[in-house]
Amino acid sequence: MASTVIKGGTVVTADLTYAADVKVEGGVITEIGPNLTGDTLLDATGCYVMPGGIDPHTHLEMPFMGTYSTDDFESGTRAALSGGTTMVVDFALPSPGQSLLEAIQMWDNKSTRANCDYSFHMAITWWGEQVFNEMETVVRDKGINTFKHFMAYKGALMVDDDEMYSSFKRCAELGALPLVHAENGDVVAQLQAQLLAEGNNGPEAHAYSRPAKVEGEATNRAIMIADMAGVPLYVVHTSSEQAHEAIRRARQNGMRVYGEPLIQHLTLDDSEYGHHDWDHAARRVMSPPFRNKKHQDSLWHGLAAGSLQVVATDHCAFTTEQKRYGVGDFTKIPNGTGGLEDRMPMLWTYGVVTGRLTMNEFVAVTSTNIAKILNVYPKKGAILVGADADIVVWDPKLEKTITAESQQSAIDYNVFEGKEIKGLPRFTLTRGLVSVEDGEIKTREGHGEFVAREPFHAVNKALSKWKEVTAPRKVQRTGIPASGV
Ligand code: URP
Ligand code: ZN
Ligand code: ZN
Ligand code: ZN
C-alpha cells in the first residue's frame, strides 16, 4: 500500500506537543515516531502537525428566507480544506410538516460532491407522532445523534417550549444530544415589528432587534428545560456574556452543557453595522448579531477557561444580490455569513499569536473537543495510530491578507476582508488525500464520505410510546422549503 510520511514536524494535539513523523496509509494514520520512511514525503520542517479542523455548524445550499445559501457542499468543503478544516457537520432541515427521513435524503443528495468528510445534525422544526417515531430511526439507522431546535425564526423554523421539552425527553431516551439556537423568537418578532413601525428598516436595526438579553433568556430557558428532561445540551453560536454566564453556571452545577462561539463573534464587533454603506452592514447580518468588546472578551475568556468548548462558523453564505432582498426591510435580509475558509487562520492569528490560547487549546477548540462531543473521537480529532488521516500541517510563518478575490467561497465578498493572517496550512490531508499543497488547492470532488455517529449511552429501558401531552401547534405541510421567515 502506498504510504505518505509527514516528516520533520512537531505534532500538536489537544494535550501534547512533541517532535515526530507521521505515516499515513490507506487513509488512516499507521505510525507515529522518529525517522519514518515512505513512498511520498511531505516536508513539515518548522510546522505543527495537528488534527484537521472540524466545523460542527455549517449551512451549505440551505433553503432559507426565500433563497438558498450560495456555498454548496463542493465550494463549501473546498473552502474548508483550504483553511485546514477536514470535516463539516451540516443541518438536515425538514420544512414544517415534512418527514425527517425525507430531509435526510435531500441532504444525502446535496452532499455527493463534498471534498471532505461530513455529517449531519437533524433539525426538529415541528412536532408530532411522526417526528417522535422517526427520531428513533434517525438515531439507530441514519447515524445522526444530534437534534437542533430553533428558539427563533418565529413562523418558520421556531419550536415552542412544549415541543422542545417533548423533543429533549425523546433525545434523552435515545442517547441523543439536543442543540439549540437560543434567542427568544417571540421577543425578536415584537422588536422587529416595532423597529419597522418606527421607520428603522436598515441592516443596523437587525442588531437592535436581537439584543444580548434575548439570547441570555433563551439560553437559560433551554438549559433549565434540558435539565428537567435529563439530557445534556449544546448551545450553538454563543455570542453574549449572558449566554456564556448561563452555560458557566450550569456547568458549575454539574450539568453537561456546551457552548460554541463563532469565529465571527470573536473577531468582528457591532461597529460593523454602523457603517455608512448598506451593503457592508447587510453582508454582516446574521443571528445572533455581532456584539461589543465586552461580549467578545467574555467569549475569549470562556475558551481559555474551558467554559466554552468549540469554535465554529455557522457558515451560511449569501451573495450581495441575495442580501439586497432586504432593501427597505431588514427582516428580509437573509441571515448568515461565511467563515469556513478563515476559521482556523483567524483563530490562530487572533488567538494563538496574541497569546490568548495555547496551541493545544487551539487544537481542542477547533477539532478534538467537538469530536468528543459528537462521539466521533478518535476516528476524527486525533493524531493517533488508527485515526483517520485528517491532518493539517500548519506553517506558523505563512502570511496572507484575506480577500474575496482569492477565496474559495462562491460569494462576492468576505466579512474578514483585509485581515492580515499569520499561520496557514502548508498541507491539508483529508483521509490521506493531500488536498492543499504549499497553498495550491488540489481537492477532489466527491472524496468526502458521510460520517455516521453512534448514540451516546442511553438509559437501558424500553423507549416510551407516543403520547399527546397538549394540543399540538397547527403545522401545515406547505411543500415549500423551510424558507419563509
Ligand atoms: O444568521 C444565521 N446564523 N443564519 C444561519 C441559520 C442559523 O440561525 O444558524
Ligand atoms: Zn442559528
Ligand atoms: Zn464603505
Ligand atoms: Zn446555524
Side-chain angles (χ1 to χ4, degrees):
M1 197 184 300
S3 62
T4 302
V5 171
I6 301 167
K7 271 210 91 65
T10 300
V11 173
V12 178
T13 69
D15 45 23
L16 292 173
T17 305
Y18 60 101
D21 299 340
V22 176
K23 188 172 196 164
V24 172
E25 287 165 298
V28 298
I29 297 172
T30 54
E31 216 179 326
I32 303 170
N35 307 316
L36 302 184
T37 53
D39 303 314
T40 306
L41 301 183
L42 302 179
D43 179 15
T45 310
C47 291
Y48 301 117
V49 180
M50 306 188 291
I54 300 171
D55 190 335
H57 190 159
T58 69
H59 301 281
L60 301 173
E61 208 188 314
M62 177 211 202
F64 193 45
M65 298 186 72
T67 184
Y68 282 82
S69 58
T70 287
D71 277 318
D72 59 14
F73 276 82
E74 196 288 310
S75 64
T77 54
R78 176 158 37 85
L81 286 166
S82 98
T85 290
T86 54
M87 177 176 170
V88 301
V89 191
D90 210 83
F91 293 83
L93 190 78
S95 53
Q98 187 184 23
S99 151
L100 308 188
L101 307 179
E102 227 175 88
I104 292 172
Q105 185 59 54
M106 285 166 63
W107 259 256
D108 278 342
N109 296 344
K110 286 183 215 263
S111 58
T112 53
R113 295 174 62 215
N115 294 290
C116 70
D117 286 358
Y118 57 91
S119 193
F120 303 139
H121 308 288
M122 183 80 237
I124 297 296
T125 55
W126 63 291
W127 190 248
E129 186 171 3
Q130 185 184 349
V131 174
F132 177 91
N133 289 328
E134 286 182 347
M135 282 174 80
E136 183 184 353
T137 312
V138 169
V139 171
R140 301 221 167 144
D141 302 340
K142 298 293 177 185
I144 296 177
N145 63 13
T146 38
F147 292 91
K148 165 80 168 288
H149 305 75
F150 291 91
M151 301 169 78
Y153 306 125
K154 188 175 181 178
L157 303 174
M158 181 170 132
V159 288
D160 61 27
D161 294 348
D162 188 34
E163 296 164 323
M164 203 164 70
Y165 180 51
S166 300
S167 174
F168 282 15
K169 284 190 293 185
R170 186 66 166 157
C171 286
E173 63 183 23
L174 288 168
L177 173 69
L179 278 51
V180 283
H181 169 136
E183 289 183 300
N184 186 317
D186 288 313
V187 174
V188 169
Q190 282 209 30
L191 291 175
Q192 286 176 330
Q194 186 188 328
L195 284 156
L196 285 174
E198 290 164 358
N200 288 307
N201 61 22
E204 66 287 354
H206 171 79
Y208 306 151
S209 73
R210 311 184 97 97
K213 283 174 190 166
V214 304
E215 186 188 358
E217 185 281 324
T219 306
N220 264 298
R221 176 157 43 99
I223 288 171
M224 295 299 156
I225 291 174
D227 196 19
M228 288 184 277
V231 75
L233 183 70
Y234 183 95
V235 183
V236 305
H237 50 48
T238 303
S239 74
S240 65
E241 161 55 15
Q242 288 90 329
H244 177 201
E245 181 192 16
I247 293 167
R248 224 161 47 216
R249 190 170 55 238
R251 291 173 67 85
Q252 280 176 337
N253 288 331
M255 292 178 58
R256 211 160 258 121
V257 178
Y258 309 105
E260 171 205 85
L262 306 181
I263 189 63
Q264 297 91 320
H265 289 120
L266 288 163
T267 59
L268 301 172
D269 66 39
D270 55 2
S271 65
E272 300 283 348
Y273 303 117
H275 205 272
H276 59 90
D277 175 350
W278 193 96
D279 284 343
H280 182 102
R283 287 161 171 168
R284 286 149 182 85
V285 162
M286 67 170 302
S287 298
F290 300 158
R291 308 282 190 205
N292 65 27
K293 294 270 182 258
K294 180 190 86 173
H295 296 291
Q296 290 186 311
D297 280 346
S298 172
L299 301 180
W300 282 107
H301 296 161
L303 290 173
S307 50
L308 300 171
Q309 296 75 32
V310 178
V311 176
T313 63
D314 194 5
H315 187 97
C316 187
F318 297 102
T319 62
T320 304
E321 200 187 320
Q322 289 175 306
K323 290 285 186 179
R324 288 183 185 156
Y325 295 169
V327 172
D329 180 352
F330 71 89
T331 66
K332 297 197 163 52
I333 301 170
N335 284 205
T337 62
L340 257 173
E341 184 166 0
D342 307 310
R343 178 182 68 129
M344 308 254 295
M346 281 290 290
L347 190 71
W348 184 273
T349 303
Y350 286 84
V352 178
V353 175
T354 58
R356 277 166 159 158
L357 297 177
T358 67
M359 293 195 294
N360 308 96
E361 286 164 351
F362 174 85
V363 172
V365 302
T366 56
S367 182
T368 305
N369 288 353
I370 192 64
K372 291 177 180 173
I373 292 168
L374 297 181
N375 212 14
V376 289
Y377 185 86
K379 174 182 167 66
K380 303 292 187 188
I383 302 287
L384 286 173
V385 170
D388 281 358
D390 282 7
I391 300 172
V392 61
V393 178
W394 195 263
D395 188 339
K397 289 187 292 301
L398 280 179
E399 297 184 14
K400 77 165 182 185
T401 305
I402 295 179
T403 64
E405 225 163 289
S406 59
Q407 74 187 358
Q408 301 300 315
S409 164
I411 62 170
D412 58 319
Y413 61 92
N414 185 313
V415 294
F416 301 116
E417 182 81 27
K419 298 278 188 219
E420 309 275 353
I421 293 301
K422 194 157 193 241
L424 286 161
R426 185 185 290 179
F427 303 103
T428 310
L429 285 75
T430 158
R431 266 185 298 101
L433 177 74
V434 181
S435 55
V436 176
E437 185 159 7
D438 286 325
E440 203 187 320
I441 310 300
K442 299 174 151 184
T443 49
R444 190 189 296 159
E445 195 177 310
H447 172 76
E449 288 176 359
F450 177 76
V451 179
R453 297 180 291 112
E454 291 289 311
F456 303 91
H457 177 75
V459 183
N460 186 20
K461 63 177 187 189
L463 294 184
S464 66
K465 293 251 182 323
W466 166 257
K467 193 164 61 215
E468 200 159 295
V469 185
T470 52
R473 177 166 62 100
K474 271 215 167 58
V475 174
Q476 259 178 7
R477 173 87 204 251
T478 56
I480 51 166
S483 56
V485 173

